[in-house]
Amino acid sequence: MWNGEGFHRLGMTVSRKVGNAVTRNRIKRWVREIFRKKFGRDLEPMDLVLNAKKAIVQCNYHQLEEELVQGSIRLHRNLKKRNLREETSESDKTAPC
């Protein structure tokens, strides 16, 4: 979701099903680092909530980075399309007939 704060915010869950504490903390560190490096530049500020699944353990840092970047690009594209549809539908409602 877009936020009006002027900066990105990240929420994250990594359950015990993913692995032991060392594994879960490594995943959280990687995600925070990727988020810090990649999300502050070209994209509009948004709130992002991630729920790590068990398959994330099989990824290395670079694979995780690529997945997060590609996912954020798709998310921004979809949010912009949705906002455009909502704006056009609102303008249709207010147009005099």
Side-chain angles (χ1 to χ4, degrees):
M1 284 198 83
W2 307 118
N3 71 36
E5 301 293 326
F7 52 88
H8 298 290
R9 295 187 296 188
L10 174 66
M12 180 177 16
T13 62
V14 183
S15 74
R16 285 188 289 173
K17 292 179 183 179
V18 172
N20 62 17
V22 174
T23 303
R24 294 192 314 267
N25 288 332
R26 183 184 69 233
I27 290 167
K28 289 188 271 188
R29 281 193 311 271
W30 283 357
V31 170
R32 280 193 300 264
E33 179 65 13
I34 294 166
F35 190 78
R36 184 186 67 78
K37 283 173 41 180
K38 299 287 183 176
F39 283 74
R41 298 192 177 115
D42 302 330
L43 304 175
E44 294 180 43
M46 62 186 282
D47 295 336
L48 184 63
V49 179
L50 299 174
N51 297 312
K53 302 294 181 187
K54 203 179 249 191
I56 199 169
V57 175
Q58 299 170 352
C59 295
N60 64 32
Y61 178 84
H62 299 291
Q63 292 169 329
L64 182 60
E65 181 178 32
E66 183 64 26
E67 288 291 325
L68 287 175
V69 168
Q70 291 302 316
S72 69
I73 291 170
R74 284 192 307 268
L75 179 63
H76 271 276
R77 189 178 320 126
N78 290 339
L79 285 173
K80 284 185 184 258
K81 284 180 186 178
R82 188 178 77 181
N83 286 345
L84 220 95
R85 280 196 308 263
E86 288 174 359
E87 288 174 3
T88 56
S89 67
E90 286 176 8
S91 66
D92 291 342
K93 291 177 186 176
T94 59
C97 294

